[in-house]
Amino acid sequence: MPGDILLSADGLSHRYLDRYPALDSVSVEVREGESLALLGANGSGKSTLLKVLAGLVFCRAGSFEAFGEQVNEETLADHAANARFRSRVGLVFQDPAAQLFSASVSEDLQFGCRQLGLDRTETTRRVADVAGMLGIVDLLDRSPAHLSLGQQKRAAIGTVLVMSPQVLLFDEPTAALDPRTTAWLVGLLTRLRASGRTLVIATHDLGLAAELSDRAIVLGEDHRVVAHAATPLALADQRVLTAANLI
Ligand SMILES: Nc1ncnc2c1ncn2[C@@H]1O[C@H](COP(=O)(O)OP(=O)(O)O)[C@@H](O)[C@H]1O
Ligand SMILES: [Mg+2]
């Protein structure tokens, strides 16, 4: 059942400001239709890896290919290649405020559609569809800055879903959410997965990974991949998890 390789990172190493290590020789493939959990303790490099997969951080060493094309600063400088890539991969940041910057939720949702060059009718349709799906129709006219974290989270997910990307990257999706919003989000991710969307979910929550993913990779505190698991539950090797500071 594994599908085509959509994203392929090979030997990625990254240091912020040439000094602070974040990834060391990390290779990972993401296949069509799978849900991959990216496990690791705080600081292991999960967010950095997601940003690389989203074309927001570029590594000094290693290569990253998406949909059969190289992705780097030079290739993304091409407007058409950039638009093609960004319409197919969407990242939901850990902090929803990082992707909400308009005066209203509605404008934030429209923004993604405009980036794709969609016309007004299609934009209106997508915003209504996504707002309905996320239960935020009553928030469309509200200022994102004045919403609760749970409401902001829904809106931030909406800004990505309106673009209907094939690959969805979620950074610590349930972090800091209350139990009801967490349950809602787990339900949403389950539905997205069932609908065939390709998911990469960064988390340090083993239970969440087991519930939402087919397979897992574990980043260690040395920023290397320390384990691959066919299923997150197969991560029974307590030593690996202890060494990775996950249990
Ligand atoms: N913008 C940045 N500048 C400098 N160091 C950073 C930056 N972002 C992350 N780091 C460092 O890179 C390492 C990996 O961070 P990150 O990818 O955020 O890990 P995780 O998401 O697993 O907590 C950490 O040591 C962190 O301090
Ligand atoms: Mg992180």
Side-chain angles (χ1 to χ4, degrees), residues 30-107:
V30 180
R31 288 176 178 272
E32 185 169 13
E34 77 169 340
S35 171
L36 172 67
L38 184 55
L39 288 161
N42 289 334
S44 58
K46 302 181 298 298
S47 296
T48 302
L49 181 55
L50 287 185
K51 286 175 189 165
V52 173
L53 299 182
L56 301 174
V57 163
F58 303 99
C59 292
R60 279 286 165 81
S63 67
F64 172 43
E65 254 185 39
F67 317 108
E69 294 181 38
Q70 283 291 326
V71 176
N72 54 48
E73 257 169 315
E74 290 77 52
T75 61
L76 287 188
D78 178 72
H79 193 74
N82 194 306
R84 211 162 45 235
F85 173 73
R86 299 208 182 281
S87 69
R88 295 184 75 177
V89 180
L91 170 61
V92 176
F93 287 85
Q94 178 173 350
D95 174 13
Q99 43 200 158
L100 300 169
F101 43 81
S102 302
S104 70
V105 170
S106 176
E107 285 166 68

Side-chain angles (χ1 to χ4, degrees), residues 144-166:
H146 298 151
L147 301 178
S148 73
L149 183 73
Q151 291 170 326
Q152 286 184 343
K153 193 77 188 179
R154 291 173 190 246
I157 293 171
T159 66
V160 175
L161 288 186
V162 286
M163 299 176 76
S164 197
Q166 184 176 10

